[in-house]
Amino acid sequence: MMGWGLLVAPLADAQEKAPAKPLPKMIRVQVEFIEMDHETLTALMADEAIANDTQLRARLTELVKKKEATIMETQILQSPDGQKASSESIEEYIYPTEYEPAEIPNEINIEGEGGAQKVNTREFATGPTPTAFETRNLGTTLEIEPNLEKDGRTVHLAFAPEIVHHVRNEVWSEWEGVHGRSDITMPVMFSVRVSTGVYVADGDYRLVAATSPKGQDGWPDFNRKVMLFVKCDVREAGK
């Protein structure tokens, strides 16, 4: 009995001291679109007191509080290390892309009393008829693929954020018959999008791009600018 006791005790101690298996890594990606006037962007980029993008983002927080900048959109998406992920806040806009041309019959005979009678063929005219359709997602989308580097705190992030607006429909061909209109129209879209790959340190911000937002007329407003920031937080699963 004494021998068994000596063997079991060291085994139990070894089990208690065994190191815990590290948990898988999750990476939380935060993308921000912040709008301001063009002059403000120029002044920020020329400010030598701003040492890095995290300080630049902190300066923008002050401008937002002063109503000198506006946060247009924030997208947050979490993914395991090395795995692709996507999120959407959209409305599916379906529109025709191909049409059968309008058609007017050459002749229509209608049987009645006294035999066949000719009628006005325009009453039976058919306008352009849609035959093929496409779908465009209106709203915001985000696609990410984060990969954690060997140092455990640097993330190589491939990502594609996008904001899409439907501006208007343009008439390419007009058609009107006795039963109404059947014009050929195509939508005009406005999008702010970026597709790139960057290195981001854990917990830091990175300025990725500056673009022009949609103006009231649907065209790019070059008097305004949108700064696009990304932040990556490396977290253990379950924490």
Side-chain angles (χ1 to χ4, degrees), residues 24-210:
K25 299 293 186 181
M26 300 288 292
I27 301 171
R28 185 173 64 191
V29 178
Q30 179 172 324
V31 179
E32 297 176 326
F33 296 79
I34 304 178
E35 182 181 346
M36 68 211 68
D37 61 55
H38 202 151
E39 290 77 9
T40 299
L41 170 68
T42 302
L44 285 170
M45 300 306 295
D47 190 345
E48 296 182 356
I50 300 176
N52 52 57
D53 290 347
T54 298
Q55 291 184 8
L56 176 61
R57 178 61 185 83
R59 181 68 63 84
L60 281 171
T61 297
E62 300 173 3
L63 296 179
V64 170
K65 291 179 179 179
K66 296 177 182 178
K67 308 299 182 182
E68 296 177 13
T70 303
I71 298 178
M72 287 178 55
E73 173 67 318
T74 300
Q75 300 169 305
I76 299 177
L77 183 58
Q78 188 165 253
S79 172
D81 176 28
Q83 182 171 311
K84 294 181 180 181
S86 63
S87 65
E88 299 177 336
S89 297
I90 61 167
E91 175 188 354
E92 293 184 347
Y93 184 83
I94 302 173
Y95 60 95
T97 56
E98 297 180 15
Y99 291 81
E100 284 288 341
E103 183 179 6
I104 299 178
N106 293 325
E107 183 176 300
I108 295 178
N109 294 323
I110 298 179
E111 293 292 336
E113 295 182 4
Q117 299 178 359
K118 292 185 178 180
V119 298
N120 182 1
T121 57
R122 289 191 60 83
E123 294 182 5
F124 296 88
T126 57
T129 304
T131 57
F133 298 83
E134 288 186 4
T135 300
R136 186 70 184 274
N137 294 335
L138 306 179
T140 63
T141 60
L142 175 61
E143 297 177 356
I144 64 171
E145 184 179 358
N147 289 277
L148 190 60
E149 297 293 297
K150 293 181 179 179
D151 62 7
R153 66 176 306 270
T154 303
V155 178
H156 178 258
L157 176 67
F159 74 124
E162 183 176 26
I163 301 176
V164 181
H165 303 273
H166 175 222
V167 177
R168 62 185 178 276
N169 287 331
E170 288 195 348
V171 178
W172 287 65
S173 178
E174 295 183 346
W175 190 93
E176 184 173 7
V178 295
H179 301 294
R181 300 190 64 86
S182 181
D183 297 336
I184 294 178
T185 63
M186 293 294 290
V188 176
M189 308 291 186
F190 184 95
S191 63
V192 177
R193 64 173 175 262
V194 174
S195 180
T196 187
V198 293
Y199 288 95
V200 187
D202 179 23
D204 287 348
Y205 281 93
R206 177 72 67 191
L207 174 63
V208 178

Side-chain angles (χ1 to χ4, degrees), residues 34-36 38 41 211-213 222-227:
I34 304 178
E35 182 181 346
M36 68 211 68
H38 202 151
L41 170 68
T211 64
S212 297
F222 297 114
N223 294 317
R224 307 287 298 172
K225 288 296 176 181
V226 176
M227 301 180 76

